Structures are given as C-alpha cells and as structure tokens.
Amino acid sequence: MNKKFSTLLGGFLLAGGLFSVLEAENLPIGSDIAADFKNGNEYYLVNTIDGVKYVYGFEEIAGSPNLVQQVVKKITDSDFGENDYKNYLWKVEEVKLTGVGESPVKYGYKLTNKATSKQLIFNNDGTVDVDYSDNDDLDDKAYFFIFDGNAQYKNVTTTSANIYDGFQYGSSSSYTHLAVYTSPARLERWNNVKSSAFSFYSYEDVEMGDELNQLYNSIGFNFGITGEDKVDNIFDKEGVRIKAIELTGDKTGESGFAFPKGTYFVTETPAGMDTKDPSYDELMNCTFIAASPSLNDINLAADRKTGKGFQLTTVSGKDLNNYVGTEDSRKSQGEDISVYNACFKVLRNSDGNYDLSLAKFRFNEKADSDEQTDAAKTVRFAVTPKTGDDHTEKYLTTILSDDPNYYFVYKETNTAKATDFLNESAKAVYTIQFAAGDAEGKYLYATAYDQDDSNSDIYAKGAAFVDTNMPEAQWIISDVKTADNTIKFTNRANKNISFTTKLYKESDGSYTMALDAATNYYDLNVNNDGDIIAASSTKNLHASVVELKQVTTDKFAGTWNVADGTEVTMLFARDVTPTSNKLYVTRTLDATTGNETNTLEVSNKLADAIQFKLVKSVDSVIITNPYAYKVGDVIKYQSKGDTIAYYTYEMQAYQDGVAKDLFLDWNSSKYELATTGDKFIIKDNVDGSVSVLTTNNYAHEDFIAVEDWKGTGNTSGKSFVEYYAKKAIKFGKLTEAVGANYVKTYLNIEAPETSLAATESYVTIKSDLGNYITMNEDRDGIMASTDPATIRVIATDTEKNIPSFYITTGWNEDGSRMFMFNPSDSVNYYVAEGSYDKKYQWDEEVNKVIFKNATLSGAKNDTLSTEIKGVKTLVADKADNNKKVQGGLDKFKYQIILAEDEDNLYWIRQNGEYLTSINGKLTFSNGTTTNAVKVYVEKTSAPTANETIAAGNVVVAGTNGAVVVKGAEGKNVIVSTILGKVVANEVVSSDNAQIATPAGIVVVSVDGESFKVVVK
C-alpha cells in the first residue's frame, strides 16, 4: 500500500477550491502491472523517456464541457492534489483488431479517462483530439493505440514498449512512435530516435490519516455507508463532527502505556489541541471511537467467538486501557476497552471509498466473560443483519477479512445548508461572536471606511467595546454556493474584508467555520493597566467556533447625522469622567499685536475655547455592498442593495456666539483655520469619544488628534496639562489597540459656556455694582441704581447649544412689549426709524442700546412685528421679500452666559459683542469681555412694583403720588383704581403729562388701550 507523503505548503496552500488546507501528495501509484493486466481495470499510462517516468492524463476545463486539457507530470512529483490522481487514471479496454480465425491476433487499447469520462481520441496526424464537440463520425482508428508488433500488453517484452496511434495500424510506411511532451503538455508522434516506452501502472490504495479532516476544510469529517443510510452509524451523527488523529509513532506515557502508531477517530478534543501532533496528555482528554469488546447485539456464539458482530462505541481517553506491554494481567479485561480497539488503519481506493480496519482487536468471547482475547485476523467493519424470523435490525459491526471492503464514503452530515442563512427577498446580516477558545465572547470586527486593503485588519474585540449596530461589527452574506454550501461574508463597513467559509453546526447550536482561504485576525485583550492590547501575531479564523446572530441595519449607524449648523466643542481627554483633565482648542495670539491668529493649540482653559459649527454636506456619501438572497429555492443577487452612508462636515470656527469665515484645515503639518476647510466623517466610538476622520486623502484612516496623542514623548513624567499645553492639533492613525492613557478626541454638543436657563420668566437684571438695566424717557437702555424695571426674558433658538433671549420690559393689552434692541446696523437691515444717524449713538462710535416696541409671534418666537418708518413690518432672521419680511431679528436677541470664574454673574452677548456700560449708558464692546457688564439675573414676580410701561409709542410710568404719561399729547387719558373708581379723565396737552393719583395699583387707559401701573 502507498501511504501518501504530506508536505504542508507554507502552512496553507491558498486556493479557490474546496479546502483551505490542501496537502500536497505523491501520486498513489503501484508498480508496472506486467502480466497481471486485466481488461477493463483502471491504470496509469506511464511513458519512460531516458529513464524518467512521466504520467499522462486529462483535466477538465471549467465552463467548457466539450474540451479537455492534456496534463503530464513526473510520477515522482510530490505536489499532486488529493484528487488529482483521477486525472491520470484510465479505464483500459483491450480490443482485438483482427477478425475471427485470423493469425496472429493483433491487439489495440482504448482508454477512457476517470476524471473527465472522455475517451482518448487521436487525429489522423497522431495528435490527441481535445475537442469533443465534433466527434460523431470518426474513423475507428481514432479510438485506439497499439504496442510494438500489435502485441497483447501482457506479452510485451518487459511490459514496456513503444506505442503508435491507430491511424498507423496497417500502414505500409514505417511507424512513428508516440511520446509525451511537458511544454506544452501533450501526447503525439515523436520522430526522435530516443526510446519512449509506455507501460500500464496500477493504482495503489492510499493509507489515510489526518488528511480525512479535509472534508470539512481540515476540521473534521463524517462517514456515510453506501446504501445503508438507515443503519445506526456512529460516524454519521448530527452535531457530532469526527476528527482524525494520525500518530506517526507511539505516544508513550508511563512505562508500558502508550497510544500506538495509527489513526484514531475522536469526537471531542481539549480546547486548542492540534490534531496533527497531540501530546499523550491531550490524547488522554479526548473522546475516541472504538470497537466495543462486549457490545454485540448480533450475539451469535460462533461468530462472537471469532470477533465478529461487535459494535462501535465512544470512550474517554482516560478510560481506555492503553497498556501495550506483555503482562496479561495488565491488559484489558471485562468491559475495559483496549487502546488497540481504537487504533485504525484507513485505506482509500480510486473511487474515493474508504476501508476501516483494526490490526488488533481485543474482545470477550462470551457475553458474561471477563477474559478478553485477540482476534486472529484483521478486523474490518460492515453492516450485519441480526438473523432470525423476528428480527429486521442491522448493525455496523466487526467482521474478519484480510481484503478491504471500502464500505465508507465521505458524508457532509454536519455541513450547514448555505441557503438556510439567507433571507427571503432581503439581505441577511449577522454579527459573528466567538463561542470558544481564547476569543470566546468577542466579536469579529473590522476597521471602518478603510479603502486601502493592505491596511485593513480584522479583530476579535471584547463585547464591552463593540456596538453591534455599527457596520464594523456586521457581516453581510454577499455570495453562496449551493454545490459545496460555502458562504461569503463581507464586512459592511469595509468591503475589502471578506471570507468564504463552510459552517458546521455543533450540538450546542454554535458553528465551526471552515474557510477556503486563510483569513487572519488580531485578538484584542485588556491588560491590568486598562490598555487594549493587540496580540503580536495573528490567529487564523479557520476552525473558529462562533455564534451567528442576525441583526437589522441602519445605514447611518455609527456616524453623525446631525443638523446643519450644529455647534460643537472639540476637546481632548483620556476619558470623559468629570475629574479628567480636558484640553480645548484655542487660537494663539500674535506676540506683537496681541490679535488672534489662525494657528491652533490646546489649552485647559475653557474660557479660551473656540467652538465649531458643523457645515453638513448636502448629500450623504453612499457605500454599497452586494448581497445574496433567496426567492423560494432560487438564489438571487442584488449588486448594490446594501448601503451604508455618512455625511461629511466642514468645521467652521464659532467664537463668542458668532460663526467666523474660517474652517478647520490641514496645512501640511498641523490643523489650522483657513478660509476653506477639510471635510470630515464623524464616527462614534463605544467609549464616548469620536474619530473625526479626514476624507481628503480618501484613506479614511487619519483622525484629528492632539499632537503626540499616545504620549510617547512624555519621558520626563510631566503632568497631563503641563505636557500637552500649547501642543498643536494633528492626526492619528486608526487603531483598535488603544492605551488607557492615550488622549482621545471628543465633540461635545453641549456648549463649554453655561447659559441662563432657556425659559420665559420675569427677572431683574442688576450689575455687580448694584445698578439695574432699565430705560430712560427716550427709551435708551441705561443702568440705574434705583427703580429697577421688571424684565421679561423670553427664550428662543432653544435647539442651539446656547439659546438666545429677548429682553423686554412693559406690557400692553395688545401683547406688544418694549424689546431691547441693538440699532448698530439699522440702515443695513432697515429695522430702525429712518436712516442711520447720531440719535443711535451716545458719542462718536459709541452706539446705543435702545428699547423698541414690538409684538412677538411665530410658534418658535421667531418673528417680531414692529413699526419701521411708521409702517407695521415683520422682522425675522432672514429677509423674505415675497412675504414682505425684513431680516435683522438677531439684533433683538441676546445670549446670557455665565461669566468666567463666576457662580451667578452673567454676561449678555450679541453676535460676539458683549453688553457694557459707560457711565450708566448701555452699549456693546468690540468682542472682548474686558469691559463687559457682569449681571445678576434674579427672578421676580409679574409686575406689581413701580413699572415703566409702553403702549405703542406712549410711555406710562408710576411715580410718587402720580402717573407720568409720555407721548400722549392730544389723547384722552383715564386713570381709575383697581376697584373701578375713576380718579382722572382728561385730554392731555403735554407730551410729558403728570396726573395726580392715589397710591396703589391703578389702571391707565390711553385712547382705549389700558394697562396697570403701581403708584407709590
């Protein structure tokens, strides 16, 4: 018998065929069959040229059933594939070429190839016809060749001679013998005088060992029995995958104990055990298939006594009697199973069928006997019926035979049906979680958006660090092959990463993957310091046990899809705990002028931080993946059906509540502000940080980071703030191995500043010097030390990080109020009374803050109605000429934010300028907080104290013992008590009339418009 040589090519011979681990082997060839030739048997056709033996055959051409490829190899080559021998085997038919009674008898030989089922046919020039599409009416001579002298092969001298194509048979010319060529491979006539003798060689059965595991891509197999599917077959159990362990020498334990050389079948192995070279201790922890010494349901006494009828069972390695010495008392007895009963020899014939035998078998001759004996002959296995009229059972049992019976065939009992993982008319997406081994509990995970295949890595990543909604953790079925039940999984986030596998269902519902090509991953682990460490070497995904869970998809999952204009604060920190030091993006100052530059650095001072306004791309970027699905029993494909998408964002600088015309941009060495900016993907990380990925170099592997984000340069042990202060904004490379002390990037939608609560309430606004915001008789905004006005603040733009407020005083029954207003550019926005002039300035270049009568409207408080040049006009954020709406609403809005280093003092800000007071006169600063007024905003009740009230352009105020009415000249004014008693009813003749009234709350009506004031 021929035991094949096995050399694992580089660990893996990666091919597109069935097996991921293909073992090269020698040709299973015997010797020249000489006189033993039998008509109709299969043989190799061997050509000896100058002492070198070549074997000739056919090979199929994929997709071309009418064509074959001629192949030629040396019989000593050792790189034959497992089934390549079939390409070189021929069924040989010996035919008589002479008629009955003719002498001498002449013989020819017809050959039919085993692999292709194609007959060897010659053209009339002696070449081989490899195109079978036009072979209907060929000359009979095309189908055979002859040996020297038309001799019968068994009579050929030394069983090797020249051969000639049939077209030369009977020719009067001298014959030209045939020979094989290697480049290109072919058989044809050869005029060279060198010897080119041919002979038939027999196929030799192959002794098999761990090569059996190649059925399931090297991770195991199952055996069926031809025509006996209903027999209880221990090799054919659902959920039980058999592994073959080949021992090329004895594995010895204590003296006299061993696992002898041979092939063992196991159903369970210790985790991580390599079946190619297990240790003695590992074998002791396996579960073996063995012939039972006692279990014999046939139980015919005569047969039992010889060793027939015994069934197979399973036994733990620890329970095997693996004594191999000569002391009878230590050999297996009673129910003990000898290690020899598990030590098999396996032969494969040319049809791919298998024979199992035991060279030594110990058994109980009698059912009730403790004594065991050895079978006298080789034990094999066959299906044995239980005899008797009342029995129909059949059992797989031992038989005695020196001749192989080839009872067994490969059977993919535990191969999961590929189509079972597809969805009906929809994509099928799974998470893949390791269910055994060192990576147990971790998810198979890929890097996102990395289009550079050379840098695309796969990881086994802990469940705590994986969001299974993200496409990096999701695998879509992009292809299936029903012929061999292979499934192609493609990562949704990175289509460069895919693998093709068979799945074998285990008894616990998990699956073992058997890949058709090596796919490696890095195992991620967390050390005692909290660092996520990637293993220094990769592991092969092949043979991993996994759980598959189908999941739904969200095409934007894992990336930001926020509103255009969303304001964010970028910060850098090791984590987001409240006590963690944080670094903010700030602008540097010019050393000479003190002005801000476009150069960025980091600082731990929140007050210096700039924000960014996200400028969202109009359209999202779409990445498509193909997927397979089924409609009934038909497999179909959608070429671009699965999508993941992301928006890109420019990051516009946003400072002091104002968007600048500057954007975050890479300047070749660091990020700065520029008039145009890069576009970024913002990707969420499970720990709360983000990866702000640049799209400008298309690699999607660079993310914004503080300079030296890994901290490798901090060799002197500086504190976090001390080391990183003033460092630049640069980039890092995406990695899943993250140190606990790495500085991560965060984008907070919450503003770094603290705003007054976004509500509508009555307040007083008092400066830290004790003065109140109010207005004078001309409605100019001032700060006064007495008679505080009751202010009503009304929140708007509440969807923004920092909301805005309308600051109003007074009230009218028609709903109008006096709104604090900045008239600085009233000419541009047409919201002031007439052209810009000095009445809106306190002094040259010092603008006033005034109060203007208006009515608030809109569901979101986003529109005001006021008078412009005596005409009622609507004012909104943006002008709309079609609707006769003016712009300029921002001049009525204010941000009220907590002042730096203060607990309850606020700044009032508008468009980057801060409210300030010059000798009690309200104005706005030039964009700094140096002279900004700090104010207390204290809640109060609705107006019940002295109040200044405005109705239209009329102003009414309560004073000591009187009400003052301004702007009502020629109008009828009625003053009454809260009980309805009229105390005054007159047409006022002055623009500043004072009417005596009793103390208390009074109602003042001006031409029918009424309101309440308090008189002291």
Side-chain angles (χ1 to χ4, degrees):
M1 300 297 175
N2 178 68
K3 177 66 180 81
K4 70 178 180 182
F5 296 87
S6 297
T7 51
L8 202 59
L9 298 184
F12 288 91
L13 179 64
L14 304 183
L18 177 62
F19 302 114
S20 65
V21 183
L22 289 180
E23 293 189 333
E25 57 183 57
N26 287 344
L27 190 68
I29 190 169
S31 58
D32 185 334
I33 49 85
D36 294 330
F37 172 83
K38 294 180 181 178
N39 188 22
N41 279 6
E42 293 176 335
Y43 300 102
Y44 297 106
L45 182 62
V46 176
N47 185 194
T48 303
I49 302 176
D50 290 342
V52 180
K53 297 183 186 298
Y54 298 89
V55 62
Y56 172 78
F58 281 172
E59 193 172 72
E60 289 182 336
I61 298 176
S64 300
N66 289 320
L67 298 177
V68 295
Q69 177 74 43
Q70 298 181 81
V71 287
V72 175
K73 290 180 73 70
K74 295 178 184 179
I75 67 170
T76 55
D77 287 347
S78 58
D79 59 347
F80 289 88
E82 182 187 21
N83 291 302
D84 284 357
Y85 70 90
K86 295 179 181 179
N87 295 328
Y88 301 93
L89 269 180
W90 303 86
K91 180 181 179 182
V92 181
E93 181 184 359
E94 185 178 83
V95 294
K96 291 181 180 181
L97 302 177
T98 52
V100 177
E102 293 186 25
S103 181
V105 178
K106 299 177 181 180
Y107 294 88
Y109 292 85
K110 295 182 178 180
L111 274 61
T112 302
N113 186 258
K114 184 176 185 68
T116 64
S117 300
K118 296 291 193 294
Q119 190 171 345
L120 180 64
I121 298 175
F122 292 95
N123 297 312
N124 58 14
D125 62 355
T127 59
V128 173
D129 187 354
V130 295
D131 186 350
Y132 290 79
S133 62
D134 56 355
N135 291 344
D136 293 335
D137 298 313
L138 297 180
D139 191 304
D140 289 343
K141 292 183 177 182
Y143 293 99
F144 66 87
F145 65 76
I146 57 176
F147 283 94
D148 280 327
N150 307 306
Q152 191 174 14
Y153 180 68
K154 67 179 181 179
N155 296 324
V156 172
T157 305
T158 67
T159 65
S160 181
N162 292 327
I163 63 171
Y164 311 88
D165 58 275
F167 285 101
Q168 299 185 77
Y169 173 69
S171 173
S172 58
S173 305
S174 60
Y175 292 176
T176 300
H177 63 264
L178 299 170
V180 298
Y181 293 77
T182 57
S183 183
R186 65 196 188 279
L187 172 67
E188 62 182 43
R189 294 174 187 170
W190 193 20
N191 291 318
N192 195 304
V193 296
K194 290 183 179 181
S195 172
S196 175
F198 281 82
S199 51
F200 293 127
Y201 276 66
S202 63
Y203 171 87
E204 183 166 338
D205 293 344
V206 177
E207 184 176 349
M208 303 291 288
D210 53 23
E211 303 89 354
L212 292 167
N213 298 321
Q214 291 181 8
L215 176 65
Y216 293 158
N217 288 5
S218 84
I219 62 171
F221 66 98
N222 287 102
F223 274 147
I225 303 172
T226 305
E228 299 286 359
D229 288 341
K230 294 183 179 180
V231 173
D232 185 16
N233 178 4
I234 198 169
F235 294 101
D236 186 15
K237 299 289 187 183
E238 190 171 333
V240 179
R241 180 165 39 88
I242 312 299
K243 293 181 182 179
I245 298 175
E246 179 185 1
L247 300 184
T248 57
D250 294 353
K251 287 287 182 180
T252 58
E254 298 177 11
S255 177
F257 291 86
F259 289 88
K261 174 184 176 181
T263 296
Y264 295 82
F265 300 128
V266 297
T267 59
E268 294 181 25
T269 62
M273 189 191 90
D274 185 355
T275 57
K276 285 190 173 295
D277 188 26
S279 67
Y280 179 88
D281 288 339
E282 286 176 324
L283 291 169
M284 292 291 285
N285 287 285
C286 292
T287 299
F288 293 83
I289 292 176
S292 170
S294 57
L295 182 60
N296 190 322
D297 284 325
I298 306 298
N299 206 28
L300 294 176
D303 286 346
R304 180 174 185 132
K305 190 171 184 179
T306 63
K308 295 180 182 178
F310 290 89
Q311 290 144 256
L312 290 161
T313 188
T314 57
V315 58
S316 165
K318 293 178 180 178
D319 292 332
L320 275 175
N321 182 314
N322 60 348
Y323 178 70
V324 293
T326 58
E327 295 181 35
D328 289 341
S329 62
R330 303 179 71 180
K331 294 179 181 179
S332 59
Q333 302 294 332
E335 295 293 326
D336 293 344
I337 300 177
S338 169
V339 70
Y340 291 110
N341 292 18
C343 184
F344 292 83
K345 182 176 182 179
V346 185
L347 296 178
R348 183 194 68 192
N349 67 8
S350 64
D351 292 323
N353 296 340
Y354 296 89
D355 171 74
L356 309 185
S357 64
L358 297 174
K360 192 172 184 178
F361 172 52
R362 288 183 61 79
F363 64 96
N364 303 114
E365 291 185 0
K366 296 181 180 180
D368 56 356
S369 173
D370 284 338
E371 185 179 352
Q372 291 188 6
T373 187
D374 294 335
K377 297 179 66 175
T378 300
V379 168
R380 289 187 154 80
F381 297 87
V383 173
T384 305
K386 190 169 184 177
T387 59
D389 295 338
D390 57 343
H391 296 294
T392 59
E393 300 95 333
K394 294 181 179 180
Y395 298 92
L396 178 60
T397 73
T398 56
I399 62 171
L400 302 182
S401 175
D402 290 330
D403 296 322
N405 61 10
Y406 301 107
Y407 233 67
F408 298 90
V409 293
Y410 264 158
K411 185 176 181 182
E412 296 202 41
T413 306
N414 291 296
T415 302
K417 189 177 180 181
T419 54
D420 287 346
F421 295 88
L422 295 178
N423 284 334
E424 187 76 20
S425 302
K427 64 187 177 185
V429 179
Y430 292 86
T431 57
I432 301 175
Q433 188 174 23
F434 291 87
D438 294 339
E440 184 174 0
K442 299 176 183 177
Y443 286 93
L444 193 64
Y445 188 92
T447 51
Y449 313 125
D450 187 352
Q451 303 303 309
D452 182 355
D453 187 44
S454 63
N455 293 325
S456 298
D457 291 324
I458 313 178
Y459 298 88
K461 193 170 184 180
F465 305 101
V466 172
D467 182 348
T468 56
N469 294 308
M470 291 186 179
E472 301 98 300
Q474 296 179 340
W475 302 83
I476 190 168
I477 296 181
S478 53
D479 194 12
V480 297
K481 293 291 187 290
T482 56
D484 58 6
N485 282 306
T486 54
I487 303 172
K488 183 178 181 180
F489 288 98
T490 299
N491 186 260
R492 292 189 66 240
N494 195 334
K495 69 173 92 176
N496 286 319
I497 297 178
S498 63
F499 59 88
T500 301
T501 184
K502 287 185 176 184
L503 294 172
Y504 304 108
K505 191 168 185 178
E506 305 296 343
S507 56
D508 62 357
S510 62
Y511 295 90
T512 297
M513 294 195 296
L515 276 64
D516 73 342
T519 297
N520 296 323
Y521 68 90
Y522 288 95
D523 194 3
L524 296 174
N525 293 290
V526 181
N527 66 14
N528 292 334
D529 295 326
D531 301 327
I532 301 175
I533 304 296
S536 58
S537 59
T538 60
K539 295 180 179 179
N540 186 16
L541 190 60
H542 175 70
S544 296
V545 181
V546 299
E547 291 181 358
L548 300 177
K549 183 178 180 181
Q550 193 161 178
V551 292
T552 57
T553 62
D554 172 2
K555 68 180 180 180
F556 289 111
T559 61
W560 281 31
N561 179 15
V562 296
D564 182 44
T566 296
E567 300 154 16
V568 297
T569 302
M570 182 181 292
L571 58 97
F572 305 97
R574 287 173 174 158
D575 56 58
V576 288
T577 58
T579 58
S580 178
N581 288 304
K582 298 174 179 63
L583 304 166
Y584 301 90
V585 180
T586 63
R587 299 173 70 176
T588 62
L589 300 179
D590 185 276
T592 302
T593 65
N595 295 331
E596 288 182 322
T597 73
N598 291 337
T599 302
L600 301 177
E601 63 184 20
V602 297
S603 168
N604 67 325
K605 294 182 179 179
L606 177 59
D608 296 336
I610 66 170
Q611 290 180 276
F612 292 98
K613 182 179 180 180
L614 299 182
V615 182
K616 188 177 184 179
S617 60
V618 175
D619 298 312
S620 61
V621 177
I622 303 293
I623 299 173
T624 61
N625 295 307
Y627 68 82
Y629 63 99
K630 61 185 177 182
V631 178
D633 295 329
V634 179
I635 308 303
K636 294 193 174 185
Y637 297 90
Q638 181 66 261
S639 62
K640 295 183 178 181
D642 174 52
T643 61
I644 66 170
Y646 56 81
Y647 284 96
T648 60
Y649 299 87
E650 291 179 274
M651 303 190 73
Q652 184 178 10
Y654 191 80
Q655 199 170 357
D656 294 322
V658 178
K660 307 291 184 179
D661 291 328
L662 296 170
F663 299 84
L664 194 63
D665 182 71
W666 180 255
N667 77 345
S668 78
S669 64
K670 58 187 175 182
Y671 281 102
E672 294 186 343
L673 297 180
T675 54
T676 59
D678 290 347
K679 293 179 172 61
F680 301 94
I681 307 167
I682 304 175
K683 177 187 167 301
D684 285 315
N685 299 321
V686 174
D687 63 2
S689 66
V690 295
S691 295
V692 184
L693 305 172
T694 177
T695 64
N696 288 49
N697 63 6
Y698 304 104
H700 304 347
E701 62 182 3
D702 300 338
F703 66 92
I704 294 175
V706 68
E707 181 182 357
D708 191 23
W709 68 290
K710 294 183 179 180
T712 54
N714 189 6
T715 57
S716 58
K718 292 181 179 179
S719 69
F720 179 84
V721 172
E722 183 183 13
Y723 179 68
Y724 281 104
K726 296 187 177 299
K727 285 199 178 294
I729 315 300
K730 296 201 172 185
F731 68 86
K733 292 285 187 182
L734 278 179
T735 177
E736 299 299 331
V738 179
N741 287 327
Y742 288 3
V743 182
K744 303 170 186 67
T745 306
Y746 297 87
L747 291 181
N748 281 357
I749 292 181
E750 293 182 2
E753 302 157 320
T754 301
S755 170
L756 184 70
T759 60
E760 183 174 340
S761 58
Y762 289 99
V763 298
T764 58
I765 302 178
K766 181 177 68 174
S767 75
D768 57 347
L769 300 178
N771 298 319
Y772 294 90
I773 288 180
T774 185
M775 67 179 178
N776 63 18
E777 295 176 355
D778 296 322
R779 306 187 197 99
D780 299 328
I782 61 173
M783 300 212 69
S785 60
T786 59
D787 298 330
T790 299
I791 301 293
R792 193 173 191 181
V793 289
I794 303 170
T796 185
D797 298 334
T798 54
E799 74 281 0
K800 294 185 176 181
N801 292 347
I802 300 294
S804 296
F805 295 87
Y806 300 107
I807 297 176
T808 73
T809 186
W811 59 272
N812 295 306
E813 290 184 354
D814 66 356
S816 65
R817 306 182 63 80
M818 298 298 289
F819 284 75
M820 192 164 82
F821 171 65
N822 180 359
S824 61
D825 57 355
S826 58
V827 173
N828 293 333
Y829 287 103
Y830 305 103
V831 294
E833 295 176 358
S835 301
Y836 177 78
D837 56 35
K838 297 293 183 181
K839 72 178 181 179
Y840 294 121
Q841 285 188 325
W842 297 111
D843 293 302
E844 188 173 353
E845 297 185 359
V846 181
N847 294 333
K848 292 180 179 180
V849 174
I850 69 171
F851 282 84
K852 185 173 181 62
N853 189 66
T855 303
L856 190 61
S857 62
K860 296 182 178 180
N861 292 337
D862 55 2
T863 307
L864 284 178
S865 174
T866 189
E867 284 190 7
I868 300 177
K869 294 182 179 180
V871 178
K872 284 284 185 180
T873 304
L874 294 177
V875 181
D877 283 320
K878 294 182 180 179
D880 187 338
N881 292 331
N882 293 326
K883 297 180 180 180
K884 297 182 180 180
V885 175
Q886 299 283 5
L889 189 63
D890 62 315
K891 295 299 182 179
F892 289 88
K893 296 179 181 180
Y894 304 87
Q895 293 177 335
I896 305 175
I897 60 172
L898 198 65
E900 182 183 356
D901 299 326
E902 299 289 353
D903 291 332
N904 55 0
L905 283 170
Y906 292 84
W907 286 319
I908 298 176
R909 181 175 70 190
Q910 184 186 84
N911 295 330
E913 297 183 337
Y914 289 81
L915 188 70
T916 188
S917 173
I918 301 176
N919 297 324
K921 301 172 181 178
L922 293 180
T923 185
F924 280 95
S925 71
N926 59 358
T928 70
T929 60
T930 303
N931 297 315
V933 175
K934 294 181 180 180
V935 298
Y936 296 99
V937 181
E938 299 174 337
K939 287 188 177 182
T940 188
S941 58
T944 56
N946 193 21
E947 180 82 51
T948 300
I949 305 296
N953 291 321
V954 176
V955 177
V956 178
T959 63
N960 290 330
V963 292
V964 176
V965 182
K966 296 181 181 181
E969 184 178 3
K971 295 183 179 181
N972 186 63
V973 176
I974 301 174
V975 181
S976 58
T977 67
I978 194 68
L979 299 177
K981 180 180 178 181
V982 175
V983 295
N985 185 352
E986 60 184 86
V987 176
V988 297
S989 58
S990 169
D991 191 43
N992 188 2
Q994 183 168 319
I995 301 172
T997 59
I1001 298 175
V1002 296
V1003 178
V1004 181
S1005 298
V1006 181
D1007 280 354
E1009 294 187 6
S1010 301
F1011 47 90
K1012 300 174 184 176
V1013 295
V1014 177
V1015 178
K1016 296 181 179 179

